[in-house]
Amino acid sequence: MTDLSDLPPARSGRVALARPGVPLFVALTLWVYAMRHTDVSRLDDYGLVSALHPAFWAGLAVLTTGFWFTVRDPRRPAAWSAAYVLALLVMERATQAVLYPTPLYAWAWKHEAVIDHLLTAGGLQTADQVGDMAVYDQWPGFFAAQAALQRLLGVDSAAMFMAWWPLASSLMLLLPLLLIYRTFTEDRRLIWTAVWLFYVANWVGQDYFSPQSVAYALHVGVLAVVLRRFGRSAVRRGRPRQAVWTVVLTVMIVAIVISHQLTPGMLAVCLLALCLSRRYRDWVPVVTTVVIFLAWCLTAALPFLSAAMPDMIRSIGDVGANVETGYGATPTGTGAIATSWAARLLSGSVLLLAVVGVLRQRVLRHRARPLLLVAAAPLPMFAASSYGSEMIFRVLLFMLPGAAFFAAAALLPKVRTLAADAAAQEAGNRRTATGSAAQEPGNRQTATGSTAQQPGNRQVPGPSKARRWGTGTWVPLAATWVPLAALLGGTLAFVPAYSGKDRINYFPPQEVALVRQLFEQAPEGSLVVAANRNYPDAYASYWRVDHYWFLDDARSHVDRIVDSPASTLARDMAGVERPGRAYFLLTQGQLANSEMNGQLDKAQLDRIRTSVDDSPRFRLVAENGAGWLYVLKQSGGAER
């Protein structure tokens, strides 16, 4: 099926066909240059944004502009659009892996500790053995798979590859996204622009080394299978084939259910929304999802749900509390506020464009209604739970596949769906079959059967061809440059939205070394006290070492620590029995997280460290440019 385009046919030739490679090459060259000349050793409150060399921004602008003119040109094979999207993923998701010598995100390090525990313990454990961390043993799918991968690769730790996980998990989404969009159109402009907008708007951060990254890719994969293989037309093609796809669907759903708590619920509401469309009124996918989800919740996950159910029930319907960030999650400081607003404006702009696309493209509003239902389905989850103050971000994430499709439609001229293309082709065939236009001997009949052509002359598109290619040879400048400006603005805004908090998320090698020194010397039964859990390996050896993060405590107790740091902390740490020891750890990552999220400012944290350093109850064990490690002196012996 030929793509629609608002651009006229033009000269062919090898040079013209290879022309899209020029901006692509320039963009990647600028990116490589920027990587070699960017210093991340001293990040400020703008994270990676202010540290990046200007060549990075120039390369991203060149890449976006080249993509826009390439994707709208009917002469360009789809491979060029794919190449631009892959280059975008490299610039978006591989930049941090190239620049930072250690993996980002405290949560990624936490998941690495869970895998280490699984390999050490040799099996799943309960809450009486590992406390609150038993929740990960109740949803072990991702961790078991990573443990197997770690052994298969022969590496000592998942940290060897988890820095590249954002790029890998983003690539997992590419095929299911293409399959979803191709279900409703073969207009390559719309398909690839939607894919571009999806990746640009996906700043939420689900792509790091985590169960949700794989569960989300499987979620999109399930939607792709349902949209392509469970519609009325697919069912009519044969039940044996349908049974095979049901098995495939079941395997994917099981993998989601045993890996993540929230994704199965989101999947169920999306599949239920599809049942509102007559085209997809097949109850097999949604019933399969609900049955498997309930079976897991009532068996393996029952211990966690039994304890968490009262709070979950109280949060139902409390939309205000469910979307509230709360203490310790409020951006503080110019950089943190600016990057937070960049993320909000990026998501708001894509959602606004999606609304414009729905209103402007009537044919999509009708033919792609199932995708519109999938985009709207996650909204009721606002009333279900706060999900640790992250529900608003999760809802945006699960809306994104549908929202990006309609947002792309808003940036393009009139588009057509597969059904519309098929109807136009059938009408053209009928006109050709019934046409009575005469032909001179030796002349070739045109595509419509009505236009004569002299031998050797170039064929002139007939009326149906002209309708297919769009509005003609002249396109208003606004139709080209205004959408390009919107696409460029969104692509550039992704960087602060995604990397603007890297001062919190990046842990330099010195910080990693200091924390590892702690756990290498801490005896079993020890206690580690820190301001918060934002440091690498914060959960290392969690099955034999306890942790206390005092900023998670009641605000009244935090105020007592600020007023009298050394004495209050010494009392909190005094209950550790030999051979265990009580350690106080303060690192660069904790300081950044506390300052930028509105907990304690630098002066207060410095006061706590100075008080501990001056106290005779504590002894300095180790320090470097990224932090300090103290041990509480024990009564008796050499430390009396």
Side-chain angles (χ1 to χ4, degrees), residues 104-112 136 208-209 390 533 539:
L104 296 179
Y105 304 112
W107 286 97
W109 289 88
K110 178 180 182 180
H111 297 151
E112 192 271 336
Y136 293 98
Y208 72 99
F209 187 72
E390 291 188 5
R533 66 195 74 193
Y539 289 83

Side-chain angles (χ1 to χ4, degrees), residues 170-389:
S170 296
L171 289 172
M172 293 180 200
L173 292 164
L174 183 55
L175 179 59
L177 284 174
L178 291 174
L179 291 175
I180 289 174
Y181 297 152
R182 284 180 62 85
T183 304
F184 302 103
T185 182
E186 281 190 358
D187 186 342
R188 288 183 298 180
R189 300 170 309 158
L190 179 56
I191 292 170
W192 287 105
T193 304
V195 171
W196 184 281
L197 283 175
F198 173 87
Y199 283 124
V200 163
N202 186 15
W203 60 267
V204 173
Q206 108 308 316
D207 56 359
Y208 72 99
F209 187 72
S210 61
Q212 59 261 38
S213 65
V214 176
Y216 182 67
L218 290 170
H219 165 88
V220 180
V222 169
L223 293 180
V225 171
V226 172
L227 289 171
R228 293 185 70 86
R229 300 299 177 183
F230 282 81
R232 287 185 299 177
S233 60
V235 172
R236 286 196 297 266
R237 286 197 288 268
R239 289 294 177 182
R241 180 178 298 180
Q242 198 74 2
V244 172
W245 285 110
T246 300
V247 172
V248 172
L249 205 66
T250 302
V251 172
M252 297 171 70
I253 292 171
V254 168
I256 293 172
V257 168
I258 67 175
S259 297
H260 198 232
Q261 304 97 323
L262 178 65
T263 305
M266 288 290 192
L267 179 61
V269 298
C270 289
L271 294 177
L272 184 61
L274 281 178
C275 290
L276 301 177
S277 169
R278 287 183 297 176
R279 217 180 316 171
Y280 294 96
R281 195 161 292 170
D282 190 328
W283 293 93
V284 171
V286 64
V287 170
T288 302
T289 301
V290 171
V291 168
I292 295 174
F293 188 29
L294 287 177
W296 187 262
C297 290
L298 294 175
T299 54
L302 187 59
F304 169 79
L305 293 176
S306 300
M309 191 59 68
D311 289 336
M312 295 172 64
I313 293 175
R314 280 194 296 269
S315 67
I316 294 176
D318 193 355
V319 178
N322 290 344
V323 300
E324 186 179 10
T325 55
Y327 170 69
T330 304
T332 304
T334 304
I337 293 174
T339 54
S340 177
W341 272 105
R344 296 176 186 178
L345 291 174
L346 176 56
S347 294
S349 299
V350 171
L351 294 178
L352 180 61
L353 280 174
V355 173
V356 173
V358 171
L359 298 176
R360 181 168 175 259
Q361 305 285 2
R362 182 179 301 177
V363 66
L364 290 181
R365 190 165 66 244
H366 174 67
R367 296 294 183 180
R369 185 175 300 165
L371 197 53
L372 182 60
L373 293 173
V374 168
L379 287 172
M381 297 299 287
F382 278 130
S385 171
S386 67
Y387 198 66
S389 301

Side-chain angles (χ1 to χ4, degrees), residues 600-619:
L600 298 180
D601 58 30
K602 186 176 185 303
Q604 292 171 313
L605 292 168
D606 286 343
R607 170 181 168 79
I608 292 173
R609 189 197 65 79
T610 302
S611 176
V612 170
D613 191 66
D614 293 340
S615 172
R617 302 182 184 182
F618 290 89
R619 176 171 62 85

Side-chain angles (χ1 to χ4, degrees), residues 466-640:
R467 281 195 296 271
R468 172 165 292 183
W469 287 110
T471 57
T473 60
W474 180 82
V475 180
L477 290 177
T480 299
W481 297 104
V482 172
L484 173 59
L487 193 68
L488 186 60
T491 304
L492 296 176
F494 169 85
V495 181
Y498 187 75
S499 305
K501 292 186 177 181
D502 278 6
R503 183 185 165 215
I504 294 176
N505 298 324
Y506 168 56
F507 310 114
Q510 290 176 304
E511 187 169 357
V512 175
L514 183 67
V515 176
R516 287 181 173 172
Q517 181 179 348
L518 160 63
F519 286 105
E520 286 172 0
Q521 70 179 44
E524 185 170 355
S526 294
L527 171 68
V528 177
V529 176
N532 52 55
R533 66 195 74 193
N534 192 62
Y535 54 93
D537 280 332
Y539 289 83
S541 302
Y542 63 83
W543 54 95
R544 66 178 188 87
V545 174
D546 292 328
H547 299 80
Y548 168 55
W549 299 287
F550 63 79
L551 288 180
D552 289 349
D553 213 331
R555 187 59 199 245
S556 57
H557 189 71
V558 174
D559 290 338
R560 284 197 293 272
I561 292 176
V562 173
D563 292 338
S564 183
S567 58
T568 305
L569 287 172
R571 285 195 298 271
D572 292 340
M573 301 164 64
V576 178
E577 298 180 357
R578 295 177 183 271
R581 305 295 300 274
Y583 297 90
F584 176 69
L585 176 70
L586 193 61
T587 65
Q588 177 177 307
Q590 297 173 53
L591 297 173
N593 187 79
S594 178
E595 287 183 68
M596 294 183 65
N597 282 327
Q599 295 176 317
L600 298 180
D601 58 30
K602 186 176 185 303
Q604 292 171 313
L605 292 168
D606 286 343
R607 170 181 168 79
I608 292 173
R609 189 197 65 79
T610 302
S611 176
V612 170
D613 191 66
D614 293 340
S615 172
R617 302 182 184 182
F618 290 89
R619 176 171 62 85
L620 181 64
V621 175
E623 69 171 317
N624 57 33
W628 303 264
L629 175 63
Y630 298 88
V631 65
L632 181 68
K633 295 180 180 179
Q634 295 176 313
S635 58
E639 290 187 348
R640 177 174 294 178

Side-chain angles (χ1 to χ4, degrees), residues 27-38 53-56:
L28 291 176
T29 301
L30 289 170
W31 176 75
V32 171
Y33 181 85
M35 295 302 95
R36 295 175 62 88
H37 295 83
T38 296
H53 190 276
F56 175 88

Side-chain angles (χ1 to χ4, degrees), residues 141-158:
F142 172 81
F143 305 106
Q146 293 301 324
L149 178 63
Q150 187 172 318
R151 285 183 171 174
L152 180 65
L153 296 178
V155 297
D156 295 332
S157 169

